[in-house]
Amino acid sequence: QSALTQPRSVSGSPGQSVTISCSGTNSDIGAYNLVSWYQQHPGKAPKLLIYDVIMRPSGVPDRFSGSKSGNTASLTISGLQAEDEADFYCCSYAGLYTWVFGGGTKLTVL
Amino acid sequence: QVQLVQSGAEVRRPGASVKLSCEASGYSRNFNVIHWVRQAPGQRLEWMGWINVGNGNIQYSQNFRGRLTFTWDTPASTAHMELSGLTSEDSTVYYCAAEWDYYFGLWGRGTLVTVSS
């Protein structure tokens, strides 16, 4: 099972919006609306940001939003803040009770 | 509020095995499945498999078939992960994570395993 494909890095200035893509196949992202996104600050455990493609857990700001089209999911962060700087990972259910993560994207807030 | 408390860092020789623990502490457990995910320094998250702590069902990632064993200690509310035949490539941080309907809603802080001769 190959990792989902994410850009290695993205950047944006405070207040701007950035979008992180996550490309999979018709066996994972394309087959299920079960994409989740995680934020990971250095030395910390991942934290759930988005689940079921578009859903936000309580406590996650509405600046974070998710979407999906075909085999590609996206995470958009609007109104960038300095504390958003972190690594972001997508994850998809891949059938037969298996999961696959993306390669991770480093977000730099300029 | 449930937390996942992982055991401390481990150092092993190549070829050895390591057994890590993940205790679900707190008032009530609101999940049935614990997954294990690992992350080499500066690298991506890698899904390893899961154990259903309610019915004992287990699934391992094909990448670890034959080397990986998950168990659940019900009285201690603790999941264990044992990885055998260690190589330097197994020197990573290992996380346990609770699954809530196909996503990982709760994570442990991770355990660093170092494999070195």
Side-chain angles (χ1 to χ4, degrees), chain B residues 12-33:
Chain B
R12 292 288 185 273
R13 302 288 193 192
S17 298
V18 69
K19 188 172 184 177
L20 309 182
S21 67
C22 170
E23 178 189 358
S25 69
Y27 178 66
S28 63
R29 192 187 80 222
N30 56 357
F31 58 86
N32 277 323
V33 181

Side-chain angles (χ1 to χ4, degrees), chain B residues 12-86:
Chain B
R12 292 288 185 273
R13 302 288 193 192
S17 298
V18 69
K19 188 172 184 177
L20 309 182
S21 67
C22 170
E23 178 189 358
S25 69
Y27 178 66
S28 63
R29 192 187 80 222
N30 56 357
F31 58 86
N32 277 323
V33 181
I34 286 182
H35 292 247
W36 290 88
V37 177
R38 75 177 189 176
Q39 184 177 37
Q43 300 300 311
R44 72 177 185 93
L45 299 169
E46 181 180 12
W47 178 77
M48 300 178 69
W50 54 263
I51 179 169
N52 185 313
V53 305
N55 61 22
N57 287 346
I58 291 172
Q59 177 138 344
Y60 302 116
S61 164
Q62 292 183 353
N63 295 338
F64 300 93
R65 286 269 169 86
R67 295 205 298 139
L68 196 52
T69 304
F70 297 151
T71 54
W72 172 253
D73 180 343
T74 300
S77 294
T78 299
H80 296 278
M81 182 213 74
E82 184 168 20
L83 186 61
S84 61
L86 294 171

Side-chain angles (χ1 to χ4, degrees), chain A residues 13-94:
Chain A
S13 299
Q16 289 186 332
S17 295
V18 295
T19 296
I20 299 172
S21 61
C22 171
S23 178
T25 70
N26 54 18
S27 296
D28 39 61
I29 292 178
Y32 308 97
N33 289 323
L34 295 172
V35 177
S36 50
W37 289 89
Y38 303 87
Q39 179 186 42
Q40 186 180 36
H41 286 104
K44 301 293 186 181
K47 171 193 168 187
L48 177 69
L49 279 181
I50 297 287
Y51 65 97
D52 294 354
V53 179
I54 62 171
M55 302 300 291
R56 267 189 319 276
S58 61
V60 173
D62 59 6
R63 302 186 296 104
F64 295 91
S65 62
S67 62
K68 189 186 92 166
S69 177
N71 296 339
T72 300
S74 298
L75 173 71
T76 298
I77 309 169
S78 58
L80 270 179
Q81 299 181 2
E83 58 262 36
D84 296 335
E85 188 163 293
D87 293 327
F88 292 82
Y89 292 89
C90 59
C91 180
S92 177
Y93 178 67

